[in-house]
Structures are given as structure tokens and as C-alpha cells.
Amino acid sequence: MIHSLRFRLLLAFTLVIVVAIGTISFFASQGIRGEIREFGERREIINKGRISAELASYYLRHNEDWTGIQTFVQQMGNLSGQRIILTDNSGIVFADSEEELLGEIYQPTVPAQPIHPPTPPPHSSSSLSPEAGIPGKLYVSPLSADGLDPTSPHWLLAPISRFLLWGGLLAVAVALALTFFLSRRILSPVKALILSTRRLGKGDFSQRIQVKDKGELGELGHAFNTMADDLERNEKLRRNMVADTAHELRTPLSNIQGYLEALRDGVIKPDAATTHSLHEEVTLLSRLLDDLQELSLAEAGELKLSCQTEDVSELIERAVASVPARDGAKEIPISTELPDKLPPVNVDSHRIKQVLRNLLENAIAHTTGGDTITVTAQQRGRWVEVSVVDTGEGIPAEDLPNVFERFYRVDKSRARKTGGSGLGLTISKYLVEAHGGSIEVQSEVGRGSTFTFTLPLAE
């Protein structure tokens, strides 16, 4: 469970959600606290101004005298929840809302608030102007935590903090629930892929994924389906290879066994004809085994090449001369069309002649007596392009992608005379690619085939 992808996704999303909501809540809380603090400071200033104006009005109403001000200051202190102290200009307290410092010299702990008279109404008899000021100094204590006014915005901090806390917890719960369901939806294709992979690993090559997603999971599904197609195709080729190998081995072995039994029973004599027939069958076996060994080396990347500068025209002429034009009762003419001068190539001559022989034998096997085979060559940039062209039966379009697969036959009858070992084209492909070149085929049914491969120029 701990190592499952769903658990790790859930854990990762949880951490991201908690960090995000925690960060938002922290900055929101700090911002609200700052705004409330500024609002409280503005409120303090307004409150002090109001108290100052009330005291100034009292002073003016009582004919510019502070008589009876103690009772008025006490009432104002009770209403505001703050301590109000009023001193004369020398600092002696003559009004204290808490009646503790009357008559004493006040050591201020807060700045003094000046007391200014309000603007006198028209025809007023007051001798004070607003700029003159009123004798006395006003000290108003700030609101303390124990003496908060019920209307103070500081009371909002606790409910707002609770709201942020519960809102954050609710958001985390909702986000986790959505994450859980979304992770199931996201991972359902992955689970299907795991199940199909397990079945594929047990040999069920028919497994495919229904791809609906267009993102990375869709690409993964397409990759799996492509892999399954390749594995299914390779498995079919492997089975065909086993069957074809058994068939190819069975025929010469059966012939050899028949000849030996006939010799043992005295049905035939060990003359030159019998020996020649036995030799042909052994040669077929030896060639098939050699092809299988060479193919295994090529697939393992262990082919050893002895490359040197070679005349490609001479290589082609020697290869053509080494291939008999007669195949049973039919005789196929093989010609060459080569430029006067072709640049030398850097190849293993033995391997390239083997490629040419394989292509020529394949062309002979799929042509009739009235057809022709032509070998051409031309320079293409830093490569020499060699083509083997025949006018034979051609290859159907659906078979073209598979002609270089081992033991693949266009002719499904597996006739040895027409099919060979089924490894020549596969080996040719590996040999050409080992030289750094490429090989391809173009064909049309009834009009023949063209096999073309490239060889690197010598430096």
C-alpha cells in the first residue's frame, strides 16, 4: 500500500494542498490582523479627538473654568473604557478617571493630547480662538486587552481565525476527496496496462489497451499496443521459424535416411549417382546450418567484418559469375549495367558477394524462363547504390514489409526449390546494415522486384 502509485499521489497532493491552504491562511490572517490594527489605531485617534472636543466644550460651557471636571472625566472614562487624565500646564493632575493621581505630578507614559476649542459660533462671547488652545494637557490610555470595547474590531480576530481554520480543514477534506476520486480515474488506465502486461508476459499476445486519453497515458497505451503487435508478430515468426526449420531439416534428413536404408538393404548400389545425391542433401543441410549460425551472429551483433578498399564493379562481376543462371529446367539470363567509373567502396568483399548471391538466387527463384535479371550500380553522394532488378512474378504489397524477416515466404507452400532456406534476405539485411548501409525492396505483382542496397565509399 505504501509503495503504490495511488498512495504516493495522494500523499503528494495532500502535502501540496496543506502547504497551499496553510500559506493562504497565514497571509490572510496576517493581512486581517494588520488591517484591524490600523483600524484600531485610527479609532484611537478619533476617540482621543472626541474626548478632547468634549473637554474643550465643557471648558467653554463653564465660562472657561475646569470646576467640576473630575465628575465629567470619570463619566467619560467609564463610557470609553479608557483611563483619562487631565493636568495643568505644569503637570499637576486635577482630573483622573480612576481618582488615583489627583493633586500629584503626572509622569506621562503616553503622549499628551492637545485640547483645542471648537470653532465658536457666530456672535459667541468666548474670548478663545481655535488656535489659542485651552490650558491643560490630556492623556488617554490606549485600550488594553482586558478593557476592550465590545465594539472594537479586535473582537473579530478570534472568529475570523476560527473561520480560516475550519475553512482550511474543510478545503483540505474536499480536496482530498477529489484527489482520491481523480487518482482512481487517472490510474485506472495504468491498472489496465498492468493487467494487460501481466497477461502479455504469460503468453497472451492478443492483449490491447483501449486508448481514450490524448496525453502521456494515451502515448503509453499506444506504445503498449505497438509493443504487443510486435511481440505477437515476432511470436508468429518464431513459430513459423521453428516449423520451417524442422521442415527444411526433415526433407534432406529423410532423403539421406532413405538412401542409407536402401544401401543397407541392397536396393541401390553405392555408385557415383548415389554418392552425388547424398552429397547434395548433406550440402543442403550444411548450408541451412551455416545460415542459421550466421543469422544468430548477426542478431547478436557479433559479425566480424574485414573491410578494405574494393572495386565495386569487380565485386558485382565476380558475384554474378559465381551464380549459376540455370535453375532446374529454366535458364535466366543475368546481366550488369555498370558505369565506366565507380568510386571504390570500403567493404568486406566476402560479405558483399554473399549479399549479391543471396539477392540473385532469390531473383532466380521467383522468375521464369522468359524473365531477365539485371544488376545496376550508381553513386549517390557518399554511397554507391547497388540494385538487383528482375522481371519475375513480383511481391504482393501486403508481403513487402515482411520480406526481410527470417523464414518468411511469399510462397506459403514452403517448397524447397522455390523457397530456399528462407534466411538469405534476412542475412543480407544484417550484412548491409553492419556496413552502415540500408536495403529496401520495391515490387509490383506481375512486373518484378527491385532490391536496392547502399555501400559506403572509401575515404
Side-chain angles (χ1 to χ4, degrees), residues 309-310 312 342-347 378-385 435 454-459:
T309 301
E310 298 284 350
V312 67
L342 276 175
V345 292
N346 183 40
V347 295
Q378 57 184 328
Q379 183 179 358
R380 297 283 189 185
R382 298 299 301 169
W383 302 87
V384 170
E385 187 178 87
H435 284 82
T454 56
L455 300 174
L457 295 182
E459 293 294 334

Side-chain angles (χ1 to χ4, degrees), residues 95-149:
D96 181 2
S97 61
E98 296 184 2
E99 300 182 287
E100 294 179 355
L101 300 177
L102 293 174
E104 299 180 8
I105 298 177
Y106 179 61
Q107 303 295 330
T109 57
V110 293
Q113 174 73 24
I115 304 173
H116 293 289
T119 302
H123 312 294
S124 172
S125 61
S126 173
S127 61
L128 292 175
S129 65
E131 294 80 13
I134 292 177
K137 296 179 180 180
L138 172 65
Y139 299 92
V140 182
S141 66
L143 290 170
S144 63
D146 296 332
L148 283 175
D149 188 334

Side-chain angles (χ1 to χ4, degrees), residues 362 393-400 403 410 441 443-446 448-449 451:
N362 178 76
E393 60 194 31
I395 303 171
E398 63 271 16
D399 291 315
L400 282 176
V403 295
V410 176
V441 59
S443 185
E444 185 177 345
V445 175
S449 305
F451 285 83

Side-chain angles (χ1 to χ4, degrees), residues 30 82 111 154 214 268 381 403:
Q30 293 299 313
Q82 295 173 280
H154 289 82
K214 295 184 179 180
I268 61 175
V403 295

Side-chain angles (χ1 to χ4, degrees), residues 233 237 240-241 244 395-396 398-412 419 421-423 425-426:
R233 180 165 162 271
L237 290 174
N240 291 337
M241 180 187 71
D244 287 338
I395 303 171
E398 63 271 16
D399 291 315
L400 282 176
N402 302 314
V403 295
F404 293 107
E405 297 292 344
R406 54 181 178 264
F407 290 115
Y408 187 85
R409 299 178 189 276
V410 176
D411 179 9
K412 303 301 188 294
S421 69
L423 297 175
L425 293 180
T426 306

Side-chain angles (χ1 to χ4, degrees), residues 85-308:
I85 297 175
L86 190 63
T87 69
D88 58 17
N89 291 330
S90 62
I92 297 176
V93 177
F94 59 82
D96 181 2
S97 61
E98 296 184 2
E99 300 182 287
E100 294 179 355
L101 300 177
L102 293 174
E104 299 180 8
I105 298 177
Y106 179 61
Q107 303 295 330
T109 57
V110 293
Q113 174 73 24
I115 304 173
H116 293 289
T119 302
H123 312 294
S124 172
S125 61
S126 173
S127 61
L128 292 175
S129 65
E131 294 80 13
I134 292 177
K137 296 179 180 180
L138 172 65
Y139 299 92
V140 182
S141 66
L143 290 170
S144 63
D146 296 332
L148 283 175
D149 188 334
T151 62
S152 171
H154 289 82
W155 289 107
L156 295 174
L157 285 175
I160 288 176
S161 298
R162 286 195 299 272
F163 172 79
L164 290 175
L165 175 62
W166 288 108
L169 292 176
L170 179 62
V172 169
V174 172
L176 287 179
L178 290 175
T179 300
F180 178 77
F181 289 110
L182 288 176
S183 65
R184 291 186 61 183
R185 182 179 178 85
I186 292 172
L187 294 178
S188 58
V190 178
K191 283 192 172 182
L193 182 62
I194 292 172
L195 181 61
S196 297
T197 303
R198 288 174 179 170
R199 292 175 178 173
L200 189 69
K202 293 179 179 179
D204 184 3
F205 296 104
S206 64
Q207 293 297 311
R208 298 294 184 273
I209 298 295
Q210 296 295 328
V211 179
K212 297 180 180 178
D213 193 283
K214 295 184 179 180
E216 288 79 1
L217 289 176
E219 293 180 5
L220 182 61
H222 283 298
F224 174 84
N225 290 339
T226 302
M227 179 190 69
D229 290 337
D230 292 340
L231 288 175
E232 185 176 22
R233 180 165 162 271
N234 289 336
E235 177 63 14
K236 289 180 180 178
L237 290 174
R238 184 190 67 80
R239 292 175 180 174
N240 291 337
M241 180 187 71
V242 172
D244 287 338
T245 303
H247 173 79
E248 296 294 336
L249 291 173
R250 184 184 299 113
T251 302
L253 284 174
S254 297
N255 290 340
I256 293 171
Q257 183 181 9
Y259 278 115
L260 291 176
E261 289 176 352
L263 287 171
R264 183 191 62 187
D265 296 337
V267 176
I268 61 175
K269 296 180 180 181
D271 53 15
T274 304
T275 304
H276 179 72
S277 297
L278 286 171
H279 182 265
E280 282 187 345
E281 300 299 336
V282 171
T283 301
L284 287 173
L285 277 175
S286 177
R287 180 174 178 182
L288 177 60
L289 293 175
D290 289 342
D291 286 348
L292 286 170
Q293 182 181 14
E294 190 146 21
L295 180 61
S296 65
L297 290 174
E299 289 179 335
E302 296 180 0
L303 277 176
K304 294 182 180 179
L305 301 179
S306 178
C307 295
Q308 56 186 5

Side-chain angles (χ1 to χ4, degrees), residues 344-355:
V345 292
N346 183 40
V347 295
D348 185 327
S349 60
H350 172 71
R351 299 296 189 183
I352 297 306
K353 283 193 291 183
Q354 184 179 358
V355 172

